[in-house]
Amino acid sequence: MKGLNKITEKINEFLKPFDCECKPGTDFAYYYAHSLITYSFIVPTRDRLEFLDSVNRLNPKVEADMFLWSLLHELGHHETMDFLEDDEAEECAHIKENITENNRKDYYDCIDEVMATTWAVNFANENYSLLENFWKELQPLIFDFYSLNDLR
């Protein structure tokens, strides 16, 4: 799709100091074995609301777009995974394997998710100018992507 490479390049420029890369995907995700973040422009409303609720519970000092919070959250996984104990990782995997419509919020209460979101909020609070400049460069590329591909 037209313009997607520019978005990926801009995000990878931002991620370079963290020794992490991104590529487009079907969802926001972090792949530990490859230090890879995938990003997407389509996030189901329910997932978006539940995720933003998990961010807002931490009382961030800055406001940011869902895309940026999601990217920072996945970067938070990259930055915090080594602090996760093996038994904690196993517990998180078990919880996530058993998510149903009735316990979806448990996903965001998993310690690895809390650690990643906490990292994201702390990073945003401490690096407002950096994020503001990054978003000023990234957002027009996203708008161009939608326009070039006649997406609404």
Side-chain angles (χ1 to χ4, degrees):
M1 298 192 86
K2 298 174 188 170
L4 198 56
N5 286 342
K6 288 183 179 181
I7 293 168
T8 302
E9 288 170 8
K10 179 55 62 184
I11 296 170
N12 279 329
E13 181 183 304
F14 174 77
L15 294 174
K16 189 173 183 174
F18 299 98
D19 198 26
C20 185
E21 292 184 329
C22 78
K23 71 176 188 178
T26 57
D27 196 1
F28 278 92
Y30 176 67
Y31 297 92
Y32 182 75
H34 304 287
S35 295
L36 177 70
I37 293 171
T38 58
Y39 68 90
S40 175
F41 298 110
I42 300 172
V43 178
T45 300
R46 180 184 221 172
D47 292 346
R48 184 176 67 240
L49 294 174
E50 290 173 354
F51 171 67
L52 287 176
D53 182 56
S54 74
V55 171
N56 290 328
R57 280 187 272 168
L58 297 171
N59 299 312
K61 296 176 188 171
V62 298
E63 288 186 29
D65 183 87
M66 167 70 183
F67 186 93
L68 189 55
W69 278 128
S70 298
L71 182 64
L72 290 175
H73 169 85
E74 299 308 335
L75 181 56
H77 280 301
H78 176 72
E79 292 295 300
T80 63
M81 286 300 283
D82 291 336
F83 302 110
L84 197 63
E85 299 293 332
D86 290 342
D87 61 329
E88 292 172 322
E90 288 175 24
E91 180 183 348
C92 291
H94 176 73
I95 291 169
K96 291 176 182 183
E97 289 168 2
N98 293 291
I99 293 293
T100 66
E101 288 299 313
N102 296 327
N103 67 349
R104 289 174 48 86
K105 286 208 170 216
D106 292 351
Y107 180 91
Y108 296 103
D109 292 334
C110 288
I111 188 67
D112 64 332
E113 298 300 325
V114 171
M115 288 170 62
T117 304
T118 300
W119 185 93
V121 169
N122 289 339
F123 183 84
N125 288 343
E126 295 168 9
N127 295 280
Y128 178 78
S129 295
L130 174 70
L131 289 178
E132 183 179 42
N133 291 332
F134 172 60
W135 189 241
K136 282 181 183 176
E137 294 173 1
L138 181 62
Q139 188 179 40
L141 298 177
I142 294 171
F143 287 156
D144 287 348
F145 167 78
Y146 275 87
S147 179
L148 289 169
N149 293 289
D150 198 30
L151 302 172
R152 294 180 187 358

